[in-house]
Amino acid sequence: MTGPNENDRTVLVCKGTGCVSSGSIAIYDAIEAEIKKAGLEEINMKLTGCHGFCQRGPIVIIEPEGVFYSAVQEKDVPEIVESHLKNNKPVERLFYRDPVTDEPIKCYKDIPFYSGQERIVLKNCGHINPEVIEDSINAGVYQAIKKVLHGMTSEKVIETIKKSGLRGRGGAGFPTAVKWKFCRDEKANQKYIICNADEGDPGAFMDRSILEATPHQVIEGMIIAGFAIGATKGFIYVRAEYPLAVKRLGIAVSQARERGFLGDNVAGSDFSFDLKIFQGAGAFVCGEETGLIASIEGSRGMPRTRPPFPAQKGLWGRPTIINNVKTLSYIPEIINRGADWFAGIGTEKSPGTAVFALTGKVANCGLIEVPMGTTLRDIIFKIGGGIPDGKKFKAVQTGGPSGGCIPAEFLDMKVDFDELAKVGSIMGSGGMIVMDEDSCMVDIARYFLSFTEDESCGKCTPCRMGTQHVLRILTNITEGNGKPEDIDTLEKLCKTIKEASLCGLGQTAPNPVLTTIEYFRDEYEAHINEGRCPALACKAFLTYTIDTEACKLCGLCKKECPTDAITGSVKPPETFVINEEKCIRCGMCFSVCPFGAVEKSSGNGGPQVRKSGSENNNE
């Protein structure tokens, strides 16, 4: 049986930010040149946005077979063209390999990372050219606009969204239809719709990837939202640090305007709507609605007290709706496929799907979309492929830097807005960071507090001063200067910050601290009372020694030591010894030793000792 005729083939090359940073532009150009050289000009080339499996980039997919090539390099291009495109023999060495069985998987649809998902928002990501509007139209974008403007009232649109049960995907999970109705009922000669794409969470790239891959579906969602609330103007507030998203949004807005989907008489109707792209100020707090509004107005991005809510008095004092990128992306699908369809996915109180940026100590990092109610275990071990290097799962943080750290005992918990809240975490905008046994939970809390403390706007005292004090205590604990009363002090401080802060940043910033104290209190106590870090992560507690029997006298440790703390010679009977007074605990000797001769311990040679060597090296 021969493969498909090359005339039917399309070569998809990911040009999302992740793959571009790994060289996909050069790969695209090389494939195009090789195809021309081989006389295969009939084969189509298409750039795409993020396909989701960022860890395996650069990604090349051959359609219609769906052959998935991962970690492609420019040197692989001639073989792909000659063997696959010319002679119908896929290049197996470039297939994704199962992390457990090591079996090669040819088609992306058979890879657990993809087969375990249910894509609604991401369904076109990686399959269409975001810079060509015809690709989006052929994929069904802008069909919902015609249905709305030529057959529905604003009341009917809001009723449909209400029936679907859609909750905002920006973090709080507030019912979208309720917010829209508040704004629609306000009397004003001008209203606004804002797309909040100010994605500032460490490790988060959901909104960026959607804007880069399918900008037209976001624009369509904004037009429908504008029609529903009576707004004729909109803004896409996107981080200036997302240059590719800004570029593709600009192209999409221009194309939509040329095709009559923006401007006067949208899609031949009596409704007019236009939008502008506003590049954000780079402050995490501008992701908060009122801080974002202040930024657009030209002021410093600082939250204000509510009420009045933005739906009543928002941008320039006019009624304003602010929705997240993902929230707006669902709108056309709900209109096209019906409220009952959407409500039938997920859970009763959290319908639909959730989009996560799955990162950290997990085999398959990337952008995923799963039904609400999917368990953490399925996300991390089926889609994510489990924990690399045989390590044990320890915790997962959801909701970005303000999310809680969820321990292994809750692996079978169903992920939705309400279930996460029960264990002290939040859905947030969709960050999900996995941690293994080598992660120190005290240091994790310190890291996230350092981010929120730095990003606090300083307007309210509980957040401004409270986060500083919490960070100071956490730093002291990780540096070996903790006090027995610190844990109680942290709990009291964090509860006060949550209750008294003005906006969501301060109200959620203590979550990492409170959850790590609740679920990993023993690690705090070990740092304070026993003078050791159980995870062997905090430098202040570490001691490095060399096992002379295991040492092969290669000299790598001495050569790489930046402080000349290692003495000895490669000539027997000399041995290598680490001078603790000169050692800065950088771990370089541990990293470079290939023989397991360098040992790392905590608390004056405490109960846990880790040997160097490639299989144990997680520095």
Side-chain angles (χ1 to χ4, degrees), residues 427-504:
M427 180 72 71
S429 60
M432 185 174 284
I433 302 174
V434 180
M435 290 161 268
D436 68 9
E437 61 190 82
D438 294 340
S439 301
C440 170
M441 303 312 294
V442 184
D443 192 53
I444 289 292
R446 182 206 58 80
Y447 168 76
F448 285 115
L449 252 293
S450 69
F451 178 85
T452 49
E453 185 271 336
D454 187 59
E455 292 292 341
S456 172
C457 73
K459 185 173 183 177
C460 70
T461 302
C463 180
R464 181 182 70 250
M465 300 302 295
T467 55
Q468 287 182 13
H469 194 25
V470 170
L471 178 60
R472 190 178 303 117
I473 294 174
L474 290 171
T475 300
N476 285 339
I477 294 174
T478 59
E479 291 181 352
N481 300 312
K483 302 174 183 177
E485 63 268 22
D486 281 346
I487 300 176
D488 289 339
T489 301
L490 284 172
E491 288 184 308
K492 292 177 183 178
L493 266 173
C494 286
K495 289 175 182 177
T496 301
I497 295 168
K498 284 179 72 71
E499 294 173 1
S501 292
L502 175 63
C503 80

Side-chain angles (χ1 to χ4, degrees), residues 31-64:
I31 294 175
E32 194 172 46
E34 285 292 325
I35 285 175
K36 185 176 181 180
K37 180 180 175 182
L40 302 174
E41 289 90 344
E42 298 87 356
I43 294 178
N44 299 312
M45 288 286 297
K46 182 185 290 188
L47 73 88
T48 74
C50 178
H51 206 276
F53 208 169
C54 307
Q55 186 176 14
R56 300 304 303 167
I59 291 171
V60 175
I61 294 176
I62 312 295
E63 295 288 13

